[in-house]
Amino acid sequence: MTSPFYITTPIYYVNDKPHIGHAYTTLACDMIARFKRLDGFEVKFITGTDEHGQKIAKAAATRGIDPQAFVDEISARFQDLHSLLNLTNTDFMRTTESRHKTAAQALWQQLEASGNIYLGEYAGWYAVRDEAFYQEDELVNGKAPTGAEVEWLKESSYFFRLSAWQQPLLDYFAKNPEAIQPESRRNEVLRFIESGLKDLSISRRTLKWGVPVPTDADHVMYVWLDALTNYLTGLGYPHPDFKNYWPQAIHVVGKDILRFHCVYWPAFLMAAKIQPPKTVFAHGWWTVEGEKMSKSLNNVVDPVQIVETYGSDALRYFLLRDLSFGQDGDFSQSAFINRLNNDLANAYGNLCQRVLSFIYKNTDQKIVAPGAFNSADQSLLAMPQELLPTLRKFIDNFQLHRYGEAVWQIIAEANRYVDTQKPWALKQEDPNRMHTVLYTLAELIRQVAILTQPLVPLASAKILTLLQVDNRSFIALDQAIKPGLSITEPLPLFAKYST
Ligand code: MSP
């Protein structure tokens, strides 16, 4: 029986078209999902769209169209982007689907049955952009700490007894240090909980665009309670089989939505007698050429344009290699192009091209049987398998940027090996040795291409297809190339761009 592995992205608001920040979270999850699949896990990887709430209702009204028609249109754009990004998600959740309404209402009923919901009146600040309630003392110059505009809200509302969960949450996080990562984010959450939790308004009466409260049709559920439940909907909740994957869940989120995922969500779950997720990992934010990305600055990086110009491998490689996962970073055109040229075209692309086209042109398009390996051959050939346990650690510890760094050290080593072994000179001097060197290199390229699949899946697939590799999972790392294998003409894997 293979082990289950469950990873999620936040579900994206459909008030606007997708940008590079959305692509980032999703690509990071896709890299982890791909790695785990190659490593033998049974992976569920879910992403989707968050389609209810005041923000979406307002955006639809501004466009003068019915909210359902509006969310259908924008959700489709996210799904288009996802196929463009070459994602391997196993499901796409939309909160307007009936399976989700069923799950959200079932969770509500659990909360009510356990005595965690009461009817009261909310009077306080609300930021539509964040879909969040703020206390008076949190406001900065009359705005939310995020800079969002706030409005005064006064209406009848159901409340969740969040205050009762302050100590249980602190106890839970004390016992489960891996539950919030990285550590700096964990500390931020702990400080917030320690500062005191107030009961949370979880329904809106003046809004119609939401999941109806099951016991009171005058109210719709607070959009974050609705949205967070998608992580259970995707596993079939309320059907008990959702436990096949739960609580082994990993939620990857941006640092801005920590409070919802690390305070409200585990409290809702505990109150419904469901264990909190295994880990919430919060990554950092991208700026663009040193500035915050915003519509008013007109500097929003469009992932569709980037993929159409440079390909999805290029975007994926840059985002997941350039920035330490967890930190903030800057997207600049020059850093992007430099990485593509240096790491992809000059290092990886060049290694494959010089080796495979040499074989194609000089050894009758065949990978000829090697003679005895010397220590240089052996140590090069051992590198990919020796690295695998370290790569596992990088993935499990969310050090995604270190993955590419480590694999590219092997690529650099292989390029040095080509330079010192000089197969072109061996062609006259010692053809047998030339065959051994070329076999070593082709075999190394096969193994490296298996390892690079989570990071540059399209290019890796091209290499593995050229080498006629059927089993591409990590377990096949030691299934060496059969001598005599014919190859077709290798085409360059990566383009070079002028800066
Ligand atoms: N709908 C909520 C999530 C609900 S999950 C139950 C939401 N949606 S969002 O579309 O606004 O943001 C989704 C993700 O995109 C967040 O994790 C956010 O951090 C990420 N990013 C948005 N802009 C970003 C950058 N500039 N850089 C990196 N990630 C950013 O919040």
Side-chain angles (χ1 to χ4, degrees), residues 412-425:
E413 196 52 45
N415 271 320
R416 277 194 289 275
Y417 174 92
V418 180
D419 296 341
T420 52
Q421 301 293 328
K422 302 188 177 53
W424 53 89

Side-chain angles (χ1 to χ4, degrees), residues 302-322:
D302 179 359
V304 174
Q305 249 172 27
I306 297 212
V307 173
E308 281 171 353
T309 315
Y310 303 97
S312 64
D313 276 5
L315 177 64
R316 180 188 288 259
Y317 181 79
F318 177 75
L319 294 180
L320 299 174
R321 170 71 181 84
D322 206 64

Side-chain angles (χ1 to χ4, degrees), residues 211-422:
V211 176
V213 166
T215 48
D216 185 343
D218 287 342
H219 289 249
V220 297
M221 288 167 59
Y222 171 40
V223 65
W224 270 101
L225 171 55
D226 158 356
L228 287 160
T229 310
N230 97 88
Y231 300 134
L232 295 179
T233 313
L235 298 179
Y237 178 85
H239 193 286
D241 279 357
F242 84 94
K243 291 201 170 140
N244 292 344
Y245 284 83
W246 195 272
Q248 295 308 314
I250 293 177
H251 301 320
V252 178
V253 301
K255 61 179 184 176
D256 52 316
I257 51 177
L258 208 56
R259 187 187 293 189
F260 307 98
H261 283 84
C262 299
V263 182
Y264 301 167
W265 183 227
F268 294 150
L269 288 167
M270 285 186 195
K273 303 186 173 58
I274 300 173
Q275 270 194 58
K278 179 170 175 259
T279 298
V280 174
F281 182 91
H283 66 66
W285 267 48
W286 286 93
T287 51
V288 175
E289 310 286 348
E291 305 233 44
K292 200 175 163 200
M293 231 186 304
S294 83
K295 263 201 275 187
S296 49
L297 289 173
N298 199 20
N299 66 348
V300 175
V301 180
D302 179 359
V304 174
Q305 249 172 27
I306 297 212
V307 173
E308 281 171 353
T309 315
Y310 303 97
S312 64
D313 276 5
L315 177 64
R316 180 188 288 259
Y317 181 79
F318 177 75
L319 294 180
L320 299 174
R321 170 71 181 84
D322 206 64
L323 179 57
S324 296
F325 200 53
Q327 310 280 308
D328 291 336
D330 188 50
F331 189 99
S332 79
Q333 183 71 10
S334 63
F336 179 55
I337 299 294
N338 281 337
R339 278 242 175 251
L340 303 193
N341 287 347
N342 295 337
D343 298 11
L344 298 185
N346 294 348
Y348 197 16
N350 189 35
L351 173 70
C352 296
Q353 194 59 23
R354 70 206 287 218
V355 170
L356 299 172
S357 61
F358 189 91
I359 293 175
Y360 183 77
K361 289 185 189 140
N362 294 284
T363 64
D364 199 19
Q365 303 167 20
K366 283 196 174 57
I367 300 171
V368 178
F373 293 121
N374 68 20
S375 64
D377 312 336
Q378 279 164 347
S379 71
L380 189 68
L381 282 173
M383 289 177 91
Q385 286 188 63
E386 277 173 13
L387 186 62
L388 186 58
T390 308
L391 295 179
R392 263 188 204 116
K393 245 182 14 216
F394 290 158
I395 293 289
D396 289 340
N397 298 337
F398 303 95
Q399 294 170 300
L400 303 188
H401 55 290
R402 298 193 64 187
Y403 191 102
E405 192 178 273
V407 177
W408 259 253
Q409 277 168 13
I410 302 183
I411 292 171
E413 196 52 45
N415 271 320
R416 277 194 289 275
Y417 174 92
V418 180
D419 296 341
T420 52
Q421 301 293 328
K422 302 188 177 53

